[in-house]
């Protein structure tokens, strides 16, 4: 049997001294201090990195929310500016159109041989006796019963009707489509004369009657029908409408001709009332070179 190992006191003391010397040598060389510093730096830097990441995330979120709010405000401002711009564009377009209408009207007003009175339409009554159109001028402006009324649309002049009732500051016009309206007219190309009558509705064509069947091949659809100027009812050669349909009746020697009015009454806003008893006193319109 092996005997147990016993440390002798001198050997044990020597071992303790060696360990103590090594520890003292490490402290004196600064090795342990450096390690402690590295450990502390690692811990602190990790904490700083974590805090920085959290702070950056919170700051970024707050900034993003603020930027989103600013973007929404800017978007709202831009929308308002866009609406204002579109409104101005519409107004400018309307103003240009109105100026063009007035320029065309003024051009005819200065070229006409007769005195003419410009008026604005202020009312329409399709259920009245004459399917009346009310204008804002009356006896105070020189308007009298029976005066012819014309208008300018898209650069073209056309018959509107005639004055049937006159007040102090307003007048009532019987339009060409009224059942009681009859206008002595001619086919512009052939000069064949007939009577244009209304059919009672603005949505239905006018009727040209008393045109002989034998002249049927002398005109065609699209030809213009103008006032004849007879009986002093209307100024001569003012367009009334365009031929849209020609029908032949077996029992009648005359043709039945449908006419589309020159004037689009749905878009009619202003008119000119002509006084054929007085000469035009307006000065000629001077053309401006652009």
């Amino acid at each position: 049997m092996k005997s147990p190992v016993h440390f002798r006191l001198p050997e044990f003391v020597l071992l303790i001294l060696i360990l103590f010397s090594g520890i003292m040598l490490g402290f004196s060389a600064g090795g342990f201090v450096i390690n402690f510093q590295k450990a502390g730096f690692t811990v602190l830097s990790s904490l700083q990195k974590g805090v920085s990441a959290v702070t950056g995330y919170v700051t970024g979120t707050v900034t993003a929310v603020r930027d989103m709010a600013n973007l929404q405000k800017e978007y709202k401002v831009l929308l308002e500016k866009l609406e204002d711009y579109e409104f101005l564009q519409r107004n400018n377009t309307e103003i240009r159109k109105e100026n063009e209408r007035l320029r065309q009207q003024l051009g005819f007003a200065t070229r006409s041989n007769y005195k003419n009175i410009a008026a604005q339409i202020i009312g329409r009554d399709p259920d009245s006796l004459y399917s009346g159109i009310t204008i804002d001028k009356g006896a105070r402006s020189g308007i009298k019963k029976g005066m012819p009324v014309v208008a300018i649309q898209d650069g073209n002049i056309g018959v509107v009707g005639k004055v049937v009732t006159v007040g102090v500051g307003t007048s009532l016009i019987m339009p060409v489509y009224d059942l009681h309206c009859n206008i002595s007219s001619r086919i512009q190309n052939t000069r064949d004369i007939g009577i244009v009558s209304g059919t009672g509705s603005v949505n239905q064509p006018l009727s040209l009657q008393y045109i002989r069947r034998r002249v049927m091949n002398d005109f065609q659809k699209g030809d213009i029908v103008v006032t004849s100027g007879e009986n002093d009812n209307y100024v001569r050669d003012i367009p009334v409408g365009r031929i849209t349909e020609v029908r032949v009746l077996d029992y009648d020697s005359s043709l039945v001709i449908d006419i589309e009015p020159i004037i689009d009454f749905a878009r009619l806003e202003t008119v000119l009332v002509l006084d054929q008893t007085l000469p035009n006193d307006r000065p000629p319109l001077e053309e401006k070179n652009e």
Side-chain angles (χ1 to χ4, degrees):
M1 294 180 61
K2 294 182 179 180
S3 58
V5 178
H6 297 283
F7 290 98
R8 291 178 292 182
L9 180 60
E11 295 175 348
F12 179 74
V13 172
L14 178 61
L15 180 61
I16 293 299
L17 290 175
I18 292 172
L19 290 175
F20 180 75
S21 299
I23 291 171
M24 293 302 294
L25 181 62
F27 275 109
S28 64
F32 289 102
V33 176
I34 294 173
N35 291 336
F36 288 150
Q37 287 178 345
K38 288 183 178 180
F41 174 76
T42 301
V43 173
L44 290 176
S45 62
S46 298
L47 289 174
Q48 289 176 345
K49 184 176 181 180
V51 172
S52 177
V54 172
T55 303
Y57 175 77
V58 173
T59 303
T61 302
V62 173
T63 302
V65 172
R66 185 175 63 249
D67 290 344
M68 181 62 69
N70 291 334
L71 285 175
Q72 290 178 343
K73 290 180 181 179
E74 292 177 0
Y75 178 72
K76 184 177 180 180
V77 171
L78 288 175
L79 279 182
E80 292 175 352
K81 289 183 178 180
L82 180 61
E83 290 176 358
D84 292 341
Y85 174 77
E86 291 176 347
F87 176 76
L88 291 174
Q89 285 292 97
R90 288 194 297 271
N91 280 355
N92 288 337
T93 301
E94 288 299 320
I95 290 173
R96 286 195 295 269
K97 290 181 179 178
E98 180 65 18
N99 287 340
E100 180 62 20
R101 287 195 295 267
L102 293 176
R103 187 186 66 80
Q104 293 172 355
Q105 182 173 294
L106 182 59
F108 172 81
T110 57
R111 292 192 305 270
S112 174
N113 295 325
Y114 305 105
K115 179 181 179 180
N116 50 83
I117 304 161
Q120 188 83 18
I121 293 176
I122 59 174
R124 304 170 195 260
D125 188 5
D127 296 326
S128 69
L129 179 62
Y130 296 109
S131 303
I133 296 174
T134 305
I135 57 175
D136 64 350
K137 297 292 177 62
R140 186 188 295 120
S141 302
I143 294 179
K144 299 176 183 178
K145 183 178 179 179
M147 286 184 173
V149 183
V150 300
I152 312 293
Q153 277 188 345
D154 301 325
N156 300 316
I157 183 173
V159 174
V160 173
K162 66 178 178 180
V163 177
V164 292
T165 303
V166 180
V168 176
T170 60
S171 299
L172 184 68
I173 299 171
M174 180 177 65
V176 293
Y177 55 83
D178 189 274
L179 280 170
H180 299 83
C181 187
N182 297 291
I183 305 173
S184 177
S185 305
R186 294 181 183 273
I187 298 175
Q188 190 176 51
N189 292 338
T190 67
R191 309 308 295 177
D192 289 289
I193 193 168
I195 298 293
V196 171
S197 301
T199 54
S201 172
V202 68
N203 298 317
Q204 296 178 2
L206 308 176
S207 176
L208 175 60
Q209 302 174 340
Y210 309 115
I211 300 296
R212 299 164 298 172
R213 292 176 62 173
R214 66 171 180 264
V215 302
M216 180 177 177
N217 295 327
D218 294 338
F219 61 89
Q220 58 187 354
K221 293 181 181 180
D223 282 357
I224 302 295
V225 176
V226 298
T227 55
S228 68
E230 297 182 359
N231 303 323
D232 294 330
N233 286 332
Y234 290 88
V235 180
R236 181 185 178 91
D237 288 332
I238 300 295
V240 180
R242 297 180 181 87
I243 295 175
T244 57
E245 190 68 37
V246 180
R247 298 190 299 276
V248 179
L249 301 179
D250 294 337
Y251 56 84
D252 198 338
S253 61
S254 298
L255 299 169
V256 178
I257 302 175
D258 292 342
I259 297 177
E260 179 186 32
I262 290 291
I263 297 298
D264 183 353
F265 285 88
R267 297 191 296 114
L268 187 61
E269 299 180 50
T270 58
V271 299
L272 289 170
V273 182
L274 305 181
D275 187 347
Q276 300 179 82
T277 65
L278 295 175
N280 189 1
D281 57 359
R282 297 176 186 270
L285 182 65
E286 296 182 0
E287 297 291 339
K288 294 183 179 180
N289 296 324
E290 299 183 355

